[in-house]
């Protein structure tokens, strides 16, 4: 939950900053162009608040950089192998990846309170999001309480006398209004159009109302009827709904006041009927009401301070001239630019290479069986045919691929690059060669992305390493540097990773899910020939050792008190990987890795399951994916009496979609695309080459 809260807080902060900047820009533009039209003002402020709802953005790649030449790729590194020249050769990198999901932290979004006596610590992100939700509830409650208080305060109400009713009905007829809208007299409240429990009514203050002459009264009645004809009550309610997510932003409240003020401008124009000679008398009437009558502050911002001054200046300088077409065009252009800048994120990416263009032009194959033939058509044929369940899963991924080579989640949560990298990685690990048209398109898409989030950088690295093409090594090395920079260097999270490439920025804490993907990506990169700083391995090794719980498992964060299957398998694999990279230096005299992970083995033996993620009800198929990685890294074919591949294969074959070939995991985060890719990463081309425990 804390992971989702962190991303929600980041997106909310981004959107409210955009809203604030847009509000300031809109004010400057309206003043610069000297726009006087109330309708344009209201439309502008509505668009400003709508900007605050545009949380998710589209990425538009712009080909800019030169493609990475093969000769530029470095050939030295700390890994135990290099990227092969032959793209059809068997890749050697790390295996596991989790797609970036709607609930962004893949592993264990909810701490398993069911299996623990103590509750996990509450993160600051959850606390802040809780305050935000509480603010929304309190804002609604305040509005409701203010309305009920207003209804009580205006009592008692009495109907207008016969002469006042005659004036009122005459104005209703002139406006062509046939609805029954009563004119009610209060002690001091009004004038205003109000939606009472019985329906709409116009309320005026008794003493002041009866001191006015007929011309002044009729002008006020025309003003309130203009509110009714324009539907201002419902528009005012709608604009406050747009405000709600940004209740904490003073500029958002300021925009709402300007929206309401523009409504008053429009009704003032209706009150004076387009006759400038009536303006001074009407302005004097407003001043009398401001000093004597009572109007609800939450409903009437335009009779106080600077708002009243602006309103009276507009009345006295009233001109029926309309805005020029040039001004309207400039405003429309500015609105389009602001919307584009908020919704679309431009990214400079590498230009297309001739080889990529040739692959993209190749005809697509929509059948997974054809993919199996392609896999065996390389210079190094696969030793065994893909199982039927794997072929059907591959067929589903092919059917869901977009023209540009990407895969997009149904939820549209902004993590499509991570999802695309996961699907590409799964296809490659199932033995589909990088020359296969679907994979070639997806690799082309991934190479054009310039990423900075831990999940996406890690998954892109895993996919490129699995493709085994030497020309990608420069991009892989760039990703290594990003991940090394993103690792926490001090504090309680030293040695782990969070969501962003800059530690402590918008992600105040690290977690084991981001950390495992970073470790696996660095391992794959080192195997491919990239340079990985030894200090990075040491910090990660110390982190995984220190974050292990007393019972032998791992939780989502170091503050968690209960272990889960997915995080325990991630901990086993990550600790073994770090130990392997550090153990090349015999002077370190590291503890025996088998003894270090023995408690984890025992935890898995006691809690083993393939039908659920032990310790939590979420991320079931993610758990199976990392279960395979842990088994391979630690050379565990079994956990106790459980042959994890056999029982996992049986279960996945049973629950696979009969028609689609897709899988569906536990919860909304494991939708068909993500679940199918993770299932394929468990199944692949059969059992792992692990023969002993």
């Amino acid at each position: 939950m804390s992971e989702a809260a962190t991303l929600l807080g980041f997106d909310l902060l981004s959107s409210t900053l955009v809203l604030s900047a847009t509000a300031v820009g809109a004010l400057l533009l309206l003043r610069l162009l000297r726009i006087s039209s109330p309708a344009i003002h209201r439309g502008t402020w509505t668009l400003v608040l709508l900007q605050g709802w545009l949380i998710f953005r589209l990425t538009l790649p712009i080909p800019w950089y030169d493609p990475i030449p093969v000769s530029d790729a470095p050939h030295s590194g700390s890994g135990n192998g290099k990227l092969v020249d032959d793209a059809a050769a068997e890749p050697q990198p790390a295996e596991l990846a989790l797609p970036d999901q709607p609930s962004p932290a893949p592993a264990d979004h909810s701490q398993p309170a069911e299996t623990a006596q103590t509750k996990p610590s509450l993160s600051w992100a959850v606390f802040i999001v809780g305050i935000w939700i509480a603010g929304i509830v309190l804002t609604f409650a305040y509005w409701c309480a203010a309305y009920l208080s207003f209804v009580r305060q205006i009592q008692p109400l009495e109907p207008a006398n016969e002469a006042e009713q005659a004036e009122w009905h005459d104005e209703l007829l002139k406006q062509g209004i046939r609805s029954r809208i009563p004119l009610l007299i209060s002690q001091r409240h009004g004038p205003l159009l109000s939606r009472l429990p019985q329906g709409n009514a116009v309320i005026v203050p008794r003493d002041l109302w009866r001191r006015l002459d007929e011309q002044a009264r009729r002008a006020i009645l025309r003003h309130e009827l203009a509110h009714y004809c324009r539907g201002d009550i419902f528009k005012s309610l709608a604009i406050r709904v747009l405000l709600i997510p940004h209740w904490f932003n003073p500029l958002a409240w300021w925009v709402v006041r300007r929206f309401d003020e523009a409504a008053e401008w429009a009704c003032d124009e209706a009150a004076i009927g387009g006759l400038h000679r009536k303006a001074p008398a009407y302005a004097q009437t407003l001043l009398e009401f401001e000093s004597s009558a009572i109007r609800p502050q939450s409903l009437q911002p335009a009779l106080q301070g600077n708002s009243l001054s602006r309103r009276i200046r507009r009345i006295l300088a009233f001109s029926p001239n309309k805005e020029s077409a040039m001004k309207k065009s400039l405003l429309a252009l500015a609105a389009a630019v602001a919307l584009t800048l908020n919704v679309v994120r431009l990214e400079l990416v590498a230009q297309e290479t001739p080889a990529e263009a040739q692959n993209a032009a190749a005809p697509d194959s929509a059948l997974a069986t054809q993919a199996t033939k392609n896999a065996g058509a390389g210079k190094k044929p696969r030793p065994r045919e893909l199982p039927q369940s794997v072929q059907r899963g591959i067929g589903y991924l092919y059917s869901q691929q977009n023209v540009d080579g990407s895969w997009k989640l149904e939820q549209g949560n902004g993590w499509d690059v991570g999802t695309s990298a996961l699907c590409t990685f799964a296809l490659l690990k199932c033995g589909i060669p990088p020359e296969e048209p679907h994979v070639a398109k997806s690799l082309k898409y991934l190479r054009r992305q310039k990423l900075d989030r831990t999940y996406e950088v890690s998954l892109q690295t895993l996919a490129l390493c699995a493709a085994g093409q030497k020309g990608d090594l420069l991009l892989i090395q760039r990703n290594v540097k990003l991940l090394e920079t993103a690792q926490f260097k001090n504090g309680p999270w030293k040695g782990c990773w969070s969501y962003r490439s800059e530690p402590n920025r918008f992600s105040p804490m690290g977690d084991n899910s981001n950390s495992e993907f970073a470790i696996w990506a660095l391992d794959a990169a080192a195997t491919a020939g990239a340079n990985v700083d030894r200090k990075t391995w040491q910090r990660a090794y110390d982190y995984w050792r220190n974050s292990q719980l007393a019972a032998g498992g791992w939780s989502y964060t170091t503050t968690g008190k209960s272990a889960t299957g997915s995080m325990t398998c991630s901990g086993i694999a990550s600790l073994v990987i770090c130990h392997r990279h550090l153990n090349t230096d015999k002077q370190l005299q590291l503890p025996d890795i088998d003894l270090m992970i023995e408690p984890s083995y025992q935890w898995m033996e006691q809690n083993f399951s393939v039908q659920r993620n032990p310790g939590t009800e979420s991320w079931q198929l993610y758990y199976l994916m990392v279960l395979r990685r842990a088994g391979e890294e630690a050379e565990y074919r079994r956990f106790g009496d459980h042959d994890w591949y056999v029982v996992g294969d049986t279960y996945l074959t049973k629950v696979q979609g009969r028609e689609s070939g897709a899988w569906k995991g536990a919860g909304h985060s494991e939708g068909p695309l993500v679940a199918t890719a993770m299932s394929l990463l468990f199944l692949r081309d059969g059992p792992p080459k692990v023969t002993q425990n």
Side-chain angles (χ1 to χ4, degrees):
M1 182 176 179
S2 61
E3 311 74 17
T6 299
L7 283 189
L8 176 60
F10 171 74
D11 291 332
L12 190 62
L13 175 62
S14 300
S15 64
T16 204
L17 290 175
V18 169
L19 185 152
S20 301
T22 307
V24 174
L27 177 64
L28 295 176
L29 189 61
L30 290 172
R31 288 186 175 181
L32 179 65
L33 297 179
R34 299 180 181 273
I35 301 295
S36 61
S37 167
I40 293 179
H41 275 262
R42 296 195 93 186
T44 300
W45 300 126
T46 302
L47 289 176
V48 168
L49 285 182
L50 283 173
Q51 295 284 315
W53 283 73
L54 301 176
I55 294 178
F56 302 116
R57 293 163 177 80
L58 302 175
T59 299
L60 181 63
I62 305 296
W64 187 266
Y65 303 113
D66 292 332
I68 301 172
V70 174
S71 59
D72 289 344
H75 296 282
S76 61
S78 58
N80 56 9
K82 296 182 179 180
L83 287 170
V84 295
D85 290 321
D86 185 1
E90 179 72 16
Q92 300 297 326
E95 298 203 7
L96 301 177
L98 177 66
D100 299 359
Q101 291 282 0
S103 302
D108 301 309
H109 284 258
S110 58
Q111 298 294 345
E114 300 83 1
T115 61
Q117 298 297 323
T118 59
K119 295 183 178 180
S121 301
L122 189 66
S123 73
W124 280 105
V126 174
F127 179 71
I128 292 174
V129 170
I131 292 178
W132 174 67
I133 295 174
I136 292 177
V137 174
L138 290 175
T139 302
F140 270 118
Y142 169 76
W143 286 339
C144 293
Y147 173 75
L148 294 175
S149 176
F150 164 72
V151 172
R152 288 195 301 268
Q153 290 175 13
I154 62 175
Q155 302 298 330
L157 294 173
E158 59 186 48
N161 60 36
E162 186 174 342
E164 293 165 342
Q165 290 286 1
E167 294 172 359
W168 174 237
H169 289 299
D170 184 50
E171 291 298 330
L172 287 174
L173 289 175
K174 289 180 179 179
Q175 297 294 330
I177 299 175
R178 298 184 178 182
S179 302
R180 289 194 60 185
I181 305 176
L183 177 65
L184 302 176
I185 307 297
S186 72
Q187 294 293 329
R188 291 190 60 191
H189 289 82
L192 58 88
L193 173 71
S194 179
R195 180 75 181 184
L196 299 177
Q198 303 88 341
N200 291 316
V202 171
I203 301 171
V204 295
R206 183 179 56 197
D207 295 338
L208 180 58
W209 187 252
R210 288 170 180 170
R211 290 202 307 267
L212 297 176
D213 58 28
E214 180 180 350
Q215 180 181 348
R217 289 197 301 268
R218 285 180 177 271
I220 295 299
L221 293 177
R222 286 194 296 271
H223 178 101
E224 301 305 331
L225 283 178
H227 278 305
Y228 175 80
C229 295
R230 293 163 48 84
D232 284 339
I233 290 180
F234 300 103
K235 291 178 182 178
S236 181
L237 177 62
I239 205 69
R240 282 160 172 78
V241 171
L242 294 180
L243 158 79
I244 276 293
H246 302 278
W247 61 264
F248 55 90
N249 187 344
L251 277 176
W253 291 93
W254 176 81
V255 168
V256 170
R257 290 194 296 271
R258 298 306 293 260
F259 178 89
D260 289 339
E261 184 181 353
E264 298 299 323
W265 298 348
C267 295
D268 287 339
E269 293 178 3
I272 61 179
L275 299 177
H276 187 270
R277 60 183 174 81
K278 296 182 179 181
Y282 180 68
Q284 181 62 38
T285 302
L286 291 183
L287 288 173
E288 292 184 28
F289 276 115
E290 192 274 336
S291 60
S292 303
I294 299 176
R295 304 183 69 160
Q297 183 175 0
S298 61
L299 300 177
Q300 184 55 271
L303 273 185
Q304 296 183 1
N306 294 333
S307 296
L308 179 61
S309 300
R310 285 193 296 269
R311 189 174 166 187
I312 290 178
R313 285 198 301 268
R314 283 181 56 89
I315 293 171
L316 297 177
F318 173 74
S319 172
N321 296 332
K322 297 182 179 180
E323 307 294 349
S324 67
M326 176 64 71
K327 290 184 179 181
K328 293 180 180 179
S329 300
L330 289 175
L331 275 175
L333 178 61
V337 171
L339 182 65
T340 302
L341 292 177
N342 194 14
V343 175
V344 179
R345 181 168 64 99
L346 301 179
E347 288 228 3
L348 300 180
V349 297
Q351 300 177 22
E352 185 179 60
T353 64
E356 290 173 343
Q358 182 178 1
N359 286 335
D364 286 347
S365 170
L367 301 176
T369 52
Q370 183 63 37
T372 307
K373 295 179 181 179
N374 291 342
K379 297 181 180 180
K380 185 177 181 180
R382 300 293 300 180
R384 47 193 168 187
E385 186 176 299
L386 295 177
Q388 283 296 317
S389 59
V390 174
Q391 293 189 37
R392 296 178 63 220
I394 292 173
Y396 173 76
L397 292 186
Y398 283 177
S399 70
Q400 300 300 307
Q401 189 178 29
N402 297 308
V403 176
D404 64 353
S406 67
W407 284 268
K408 297 186 184 299
L409 293 172
E410 299 85 351
Q411 299 89 342
N413 65 346
W415 292 85
D416 294 330
V417 177
T419 302
S420 301
L422 175 74
C423 294
T424 306
F425 183 52
L427 292 173
L428 288 164
K429 298 307 289 184
C430 286
I432 308 302
E435 299 88 355
E436 196 280 331
H438 291 88
V439 178
K441 283 199 301 182
S442 63
L443 288 171
K444 172 187 173 182
Y445 169 80
L446 291 177
R447 292 183 182 111
R448 295 164 68 90
Q449 308 305 313
K450 188 176 181 181
L451 309 173
D452 64 352
R453 295 189 285 192
T454 302
Y455 280 132
E456 292 178 327
V457 172
S458 300
L459 286 164
Q460 183 192 51
T461 303
L462 288 167
L464 294 178
C465 290
Q469 295 182 329
K470 187 169 61 176
D472 291 324
L473 190 53
L474 194 60
L475 178 54
I476 293 170
Q477 185 66 61
R478 167 202 175 266
N479 286 354
V480 168
K481 295 301 181 185
L482 282 175
L483 292 174
E484 288 182 335
T485 302
Q487 188 184 37
F488 283 82
K489 305 300 191 300
N490 48 57
W493 310 103
K494 180 179 178 180
C496 73
W497 282 261
S498 65
Y499 283 97
R500 298 285 167 175
S501 61
E502 297 183 35
N504 301 313
R505 185 183 183 187
F506 308 118
S507 299
M509 70 173 192
D511 62 77
N512 290 343
S513 179
N514 276 288
S515 299
E516 64 179 322
F517 279 105
I519 289 295
W520 298 346
L522 291 172
D523 179 50
T527 302
N531 294 301
V532 180
D533 193 335
R534 190 175 189 83
K535 294 179 181 178
T536 302
W537 296 119
Q538 184 66 60
R539 282 189 292 264
Y541 174 76
D542 294 339
Y543 169 78
W544 286 103
R545 287 192 64 188
N546 296 331
S547 61
Q548 188 176 21
L549 301 177
W554 277 268
S555 181
Y556 178 71
T557 66
T558 56
T559 59
K561 306 300 181 183
S562 303
T564 63
S566 55
M567 288 295 92
T568 299
C569 290
S570 299
I572 292 172
S574 298
L575 193 57
V576 171
I577 291 172
C578 294
H579 187 279
R580 184 176 71 241
H581 284 279
L582 291 173
N583 205 35
T584 56
D585 185 356
K586 301 304 180 182
Q587 296 181 354
L588 288 179
Q589 297 182 349
L590 298 175
D592 184 87
I593 188 62
D594 293 328
L595 295 178
M596 293 171 63
I597 61 177
E598 176 62 23
S600 307
Y601 173 88
Q602 294 176 1
W603 190 95
M604 285 295 299
E605 179 183 5
Q606 296 169 6
N607 296 277
F608 184 84
S609 174
V610 295
Q611 298 182 1
R612 60 185 294 270
N613 182 2
T616 183
E617 297 301 325
S618 61
W619 296 108
Q620 174 198 13
L621 298 181
Y622 166 62
Y623 156 66
L624 292 182
M625 180 183 66
V626 296
L627 173 63
R628 173 161 186 152
R629 180 68 188 232
E632 290 181 326
E633 288 293 342
E635 298 186 349
Y636 289 157
R637 182 59 187 269
R638 294 178 177 83
F639 288 101
D641 296 330
H642 308 288
D643 187 319
W644 55 264
Y645 186 86
V646 172
V647 293
D649 179 33
T650 302
Y651 172 76
L652 289 175
T653 302
K654 179 181 178 180
V655 300
Q656 186 178 24
R658 294 182 179 180
E659 296 183 2
S660 65
W663 281 272
K664 179 69 172 70
H668 71 281
S669 297
E670 290 189 327
L673 273 180
V674 169
T676 300
M678 291 189 291
S679 298
L680 290 176
L681 283 167
F682 175 87
L683 295 171
R684 291 177 54 188
D685 56 356
K689 300 175 182 178
V690 177
T691 59
Q692 61 182 359
N693 270 10

